[in-house]
Amino acid sequence: MKHRWVWAWALQIAEMLAVGLITAFTQGVNPVLHGAMLWGVAPAAGLVTACRAVLRGLNNYLAWLAPAACLFAANHLLWGYSPPAGPALLTALTSLTGAAAGQVLLERRKKNRSKHKGA
C-alpha cells in the first residue's frame, strides 16, 4: 500500500474528532465531567492515536498535529468558540510524546526484524 500514511492520518483525525465532539458535548452536561474529558481523556487519546498513527505509517512529525487541531475544530463546530488553551496545549504535548514513542517502537521493530533475519 503506497499511501498508507493517508489512511493512518484520516483514521487519527476521525478518532480525535469523535473524542473532541464528545468532550465538547460534556460542557453542557456536567462541568466536572467536562474537566475530566478536557484534562484527561483528550490528552490520553492524543497520545494513543499519535503513537498508533506512526505505527500505521504516518510520519512522526505529522502525527502529533491532528489531536489538538481536532479538539479545537470539534469545540468550534459544536459551540462556536475554542476550548481553553491549557488542555489543548496539553493534548499537543502528549500527542508529541505519543508520536515520539511510536517512532521508537517502529525503530525497535525494524531492529528486531533485522536481528532475526541475520541469526
Side-chain angles (χ1 to χ4, degrees), residues 18-103:
V19 169
L21 283 170
I22 292 168
T23 300
F25 180 72
T26 61
Q27 182 176 355
V29 176
N30 184 332
V32 174
L33 178 61
H34 183 63
M37 292 290 292
L38 269 177
W39 288 98
V41 175
L47 184 137
V48 171
T49 61
C51 182
R52 291 183 53 102
V54 170
L55 293 175
R56 288 184 190 119
L58 182 61
N59 185 308
N60 65 323
Y61 294 111
L62 295 175
W64 71 274
L65 296 172
C70 289
L71 185 63
F72 270 97
N75 205 72
H76 202 298
L77 283 171
L78 194 59
W79 298 111
Y81 55 87
S82 299
L89 290 173
L90 180 61
T91 301
L93 178 64
T94 58
S95 301
L96 182 65
T97 305
Q103 186 64 33

Side-chain angles (χ1 to χ4, degrees), residues 103 105-115:
Q103 186 64 33
L105 290 171
L106 199 61
E107 289 174 10
R108 284 185 183 175
R109 284 182 185 174
K110 288 179 184 176
K111 187 177 174 182
N112 285 340
R113 285 183 190 146
S114 65
K115 269 186 183 179

